[in-house]
Amino acid sequence: MKDIVFIEELKVQAVIGVYDWEKTIKQELLLDLEMEHDNRVPAQTDDLSKTLDYEAISNFITAFCLERQFELIETLAERLSDEIIKIFSVSALTLTVRKPGAVPAARSVGVKLYRTA
């Protein structure tokens, strides 16, 4: 069993949506990320370079969402998970992307995916 490094409810801004009006504004998304990682080496060495740097990953996610435009959160989630796996050498991850307010009667809607390297 792998250890998990996680980020919960990361707030990011993104141009996301299928409607014309959505393509002209930034909307808030909430992301949860669980990344499988063996934390024994970082724990033994107390060395940040040996672990998953959640600040660096959070900054990457924020920039990724600001720099790109997608119609579907499914597309954003798939492409983002691919990049995180490649750039940060994550063996597996679970990514949840929520779009609050997209459905007025629901607190949030979104997608959740699990991917491996």
Side-chain angles (χ1 to χ4, degrees):
M1 180 69 175
K2 297 277 185 180
D3 302 324
I4 300 291
V5 174
F6 67 90
I7 300 166
E8 289 183 336
E9 291 192 23
L10 179 65
K11 293 179 183 179
V12 299
Q13 296 293 312
V15 177
I16 187 98
V18 297
Y19 301 111
D20 288 340
W21 64 268
E22 289 182 297
K23 296 175 183 181
T24 64
I25 63 167
K26 291 180 181 154
Q27 298 183 67
E28 182 178 89
L29 300 176
L30 300 174
L31 287 82
D32 295 335
L33 184 62
E34 293 186 358
M35 300 163 286
E36 292 184 10
H37 187 265
D38 187 343
N39 286 328
R40 289 176 288 192
V41 172
Q44 290 170 353
T45 63
D46 203 28
D47 183 351
L48 177 64
S49 70
K50 305 287 187 213
T51 191
L52 294 175
D53 182 344
Y54 47 78
E55 182 178 13
I57 294 168
S58 296
N59 291 339
F60 173 80
I61 292 169
T62 300
F64 181 94
C65 292
L66 279 173
E67 294 167 359
R68 291 162 181 81
Q69 181 174 336
F70 301 104
E71 290 192 356
L72 303 176
I73 58 174
E74 290 87 345
T75 307
L76 183 149
E78 191 68 42
R79 295 197 183 149
L80 178 59
S81 64
D82 287 346
E83 291 295 312
I84 291 169
I85 287 170
K86 282 186 238 176
I87 293 169
F88 296 98
S89 300
V90 173
S91 59
L93 63 77
T94 301
L95 174 63
T96 304
V97 180
R98 293 180 179 86
K99 190 175 179 184
V103 173
R107 180 173 52 179
S108 191
V109 297
V111 298
K112 184 177 202 174
L113 54 82
Y114 174 79
R115 297 292 180 265
T116 59

